[in-house]
Every structure is written in structure tokens, then in C-alpha cells.
Amino acid sequence: MTQKGNKIFSSIVASAVIIVLAIIQLLVDQPLLLLERFITGGGWIQISALGAYSWFLAYRMSSPGEQAKWRVKSWTIFSIVFFSQLGLGMLVDSRFLMSGDLHLPVPMMILAGPVYRMQISFMPILFLSTVVLSGPAWCSQLCYFGALDAQAAKVRRKGIIKDKSALKKLRFTVLVLVIAAAVFLRILNVPVLYTTILAALFGIAGLLIITGLSVKSGRMIHCISYCPIGTLIAYLKFLNPFRFKIASSCTSCYRCIPECKYGALDKETISKLKPGINCTLCGDCISVCKPGSLHYKFPGLNPVGSKFLYLGITISLHAIFMAMARI
């Protein structure tokens, strides 16, 4: 796409973000935009700032070779904003929190929380809506823990996972154990204080995996083998029509393998011309593919159109989520 085309694309993304946030600002009684909670009319300032931010991000990510770099940068910014807001909500003012109450910020709670409470809450609905709209983008652009795992995996770029079957077994074991634990804790009527402590310990274990195994292997071990939400997304993503394809023009140069921190590309998957189940459509591999054999696919669109539609949706969601008073 030409520079002019990139600017048009960026303007479309920014307009979408501004329109959605303006609707939220006008129709929701309890202010969801953070700045509106502190300054009357502050939501409009925030909308303008997020519109400019989404324009810049869309322009950078649509430029050749820039997608991978700016995806990780924006994801890191998202994580910093999230945890800063959490800290401010705990230490300064509860208005930084979505409902004024603190909810444990461990991704596993999106699954375990509703199972334990036996009721559907806001987060599972938001999570499923995101999967329907953008497939696995939750695991490559929207999860605050995932950003930490991505940074850890960058430390060592040539890590090797020797036993992938063990990691696959681990992911399903963790998923089953989390669901079973939530059910039993509910049946036994264990007080919320103790369940919160257990969830916090689960989160701490995840951080240890990030700082240990992810750094050592150069792969996002927390996201692909430990986080039950990552396991769910690996299969729920097929509710979304976007796919990632390896064309027959692939020369098996294997330059893409080190770029895939999710372990979705290896010699076996490349020989089959199909990325592994862990693929999150992050697109990091595209920039190093000399023949241009790696691309997005959406029904009725060519690879270029598919890529820009996917980027438009994920960048818009990223910017909209940035605007909200969360936790």
C-alpha cells in the first residue's frame, strides 16, 4: 500500500475509534471513559487523544516491516497503562477501577471467576466478543500478562523447545485443573478470601514461568502452555473468519521460525503449509518472509485486504480498551 493509502487506512481506523468512544461517552450513564470520572467533559479529551494514538499506530503498523515492532510496543504500552491504573486504583483513588471495586487481574479469572460464582459477568462477555471480532488477538495485543511474556521471550531469540508434546499436555492439564478447582471451591463454599489467595498464587506462578521458562526458551511459555485463556483461544479463534496461510511459494528457508514466539511455526508445520494451533495471527513472521508466502486470509478479500481489515479491527479494539476504566 502507498503512503497515501496508509494515511487513508489510518484515518478510517481513527474515525472508528472516535465514533465508538463517542457513543460510549454519550449513552452510558456511569462514565466508562477514565478522564470523564475526574473532569466533566474529560471524556472528549480522552477520545481525541485515543483517536490520534490509533491513527499513529495504524500508520506505523501498516508500513512495510513495521507491524511486528509496533505490535509489541503498543502491547507493552497497553500493559503499562493497565498496571499503572491498577496501582492508582489501589493506592490513590478507586475511580481508576471499573466498578470502584478491585478484581484480581489474573487472566485465568476470566474463566475461573464465572465458574466459581456460577454466573456470567462482564469480562467473559467482553472476552468472547473480542474473540468473535478479532480471533486470537486477545493473546497477541490485548492481554496485560501476554505483553510481559512477549518481552521475556525476546530476551533469547534462538531458544528451542525440545518436547512440544509435554507443553501440549501441560496446557490441557492446567485448563482442566482450573475448571475443576473452581467447581470444587464452589461446592465446598470456600470463602472468597481464600479463593482470591489461590488465584493470586496462580498468577505468581505464571510470572515465575515468564521470567524463567519464557526467557530461557525464547518462546511465550506462559501464554501457550500455562494460561487456560490461551488454551481456550487456540480453539475458540475459529469462531472468527480470519485465517493465516502459508502459500505454496514458500521456499522453506525457515527465517520465520525464530520470529514466532508462540511456537506455531516449525519445520513440520511449514512443510504442511499450515501454522500450528498456537498461531495468534500476530503477523510478526510476515516481515522476514522474502517470497511473501505468509499472509492473512478473509473470505472474499485478497491477502492485502485481509491484512488491513485485521489490523483495522485489532488496532481499534486496542485503542478502545485503552480508554476504559478497567480492573
Side-chain angles (χ1 to χ4, degrees):
M1 185 178 285
T2 63
Q3 188 176 40
K4 181 179 179 180
N6 286 358
K7 290 181 179 179
I8 293 174
F9 167 71
S10 303
S11 298
I12 293 172
V13 172
S15 297
V17 170
I18 290 171
I19 289 171
V20 171
L21 292 180
I23 292 172
I24 293 172
Q25 170 78 349
L26 292 170
L27 298 184
V28 179
D29 292 331
Q30 180 185 3
L32 285 181
L33 300 184
L34 184 59
L35 198 55
E36 187 69 27
R37 295 186 172 194
F38 296 90
I39 305 171
T40 301
W44 297 110
I45 299 173
Q46 192 172 359
I47 290 172
S48 299
L50 265 296
Y53 169 76
S54 60
W55 189 98
F56 173 81
L57 187 57
Y59 184 79
R60 299 301 304 193
M61 289 186 70
S62 61
S63 301
E66 293 287 294
Q67 180 178 345
K69 180 173 68 175
W70 284 97
R71 181 189 70 85
V72 176
K73 282 187 177 182
S74 63
W75 198 11
T76 303
I77 292 171
F78 181 89
S79 185
I80 291 172
V81 169
F82 182 93
F83 286 110
S84 296
Q85 189 172 304
L86 170 62
L88 290 169
M90 293 174 62
L91 303 174
V92 179
D93 194 318
S94 64
R95 284 179 292 179
F96 283 98
L97 309 177
M98 177 174 283
S99 62
D101 299 322
L102 179 64
H103 301 277
L104 193 66
V106 176
M108 173 270 293
M109 293 297 292
I110 298 173
L111 171 64
V115 173
Y116 172 76
R117 293 190 298 269
M118 296 297 176
Q119 64 182 23
I120 299 297
S121 59
F122 172 76
M123 278 305 299
I125 295 173
L126 177 65
F127 168 72
L128 290 174
S129 300
T130 303
V131 173
V132 171
L133 286 171
S134 62
W138 185 281
C139 288
S140 60
Q141 214 161 333
L142 298 172
C143 175
Y144 35 91
F145 260 58
L148 301 178
D149 208 18
Q151 290 294 342
K154 287 173 60 179
V155 174
R156 183 178 179 184
R157 297 186 62 83
K158 295 183 179 180
I160 298 175
I161 301 175
K162 295 183 178 180
D163 190 353
K164 292 186 177 181
S165 63
L167 294 181
K168 187 175 182 180
K169 291 177 182 177
L170 174 62
R171 73 186 308 175
F172 287 108
T173 301
V174 174
L175 176 63
V176 171
L177 287 177
V178 165
I179 295 173
V183 170
F184 280 113
L185 290 171
R186 176 68 180 188
I187 293 173
L188 298 174
N189 200 26
V190 176
V192 173
L193 173 62
Y194 297 112
T195 61
T196 302
I197 292 173
L198 290 174
L201 291 174
F202 185 92
I204 292 171
L207 291 174
L208 292 176
I209 289 173
I210 290 172
T211 56
L213 295 179
S214 294
V215 170
K216 183 178 180 180
S217 69
R219 294 290 185 269
M220 297 170 62
I221 303 299
H222 170 273
C223 292
I224 64 178
S225 299
Y226 180 72
C227 178
I229 298 303
T231 302
L232 286 178
I233 285 180
Y235 296 92
L236 289 176
K237 68 184 179 185
F238 296 112
L239 294 172
N240 180 275
F242 283 103
R243 298 291 183 267
F244 199 79
K245 297 294 181 179
I246 304 174
S248 57
S249 59
C250 174
T251 60
S252 298
C253 67
Y254 304 134
R255 290 190 183 94
C256 56
I257 293 177
E259 302 303 316
C260 182
K261 300 306 178 185
Y262 296 90
L265 293 173
D266 54 29
K267 292 183 179 180
E268 180 181 356
T269 56
I270 291 172
S271 68
K272 295 178 180 178
L273 300 180
K274 185 178 181 180
I277 193 67
N278 293 336
C279 178
T280 65
L281 305 183
C282 70
D284 288 1
C285 55
I286 293 176
S287 61
V288 299
C289 183
K290 301 299 182 182
S293 304
L294 304 173
H295 59 84
Y296 293 93
K297 183 177 180 180
F298 186 87
L301 295 179
N302 61 25
V304 174
S306 299
K307 172 185 175 180
F308 280 92
L309 179 59
Y310 186 76
L311 286 179
I313 292 173
T314 56
I315 293 170
S316 297
L317 287 174
H318 167 84
I320 291 166
F321 282 17
M322 285 269 287
M324 302 298 179
R326 295 180 302 277
I327 313 296

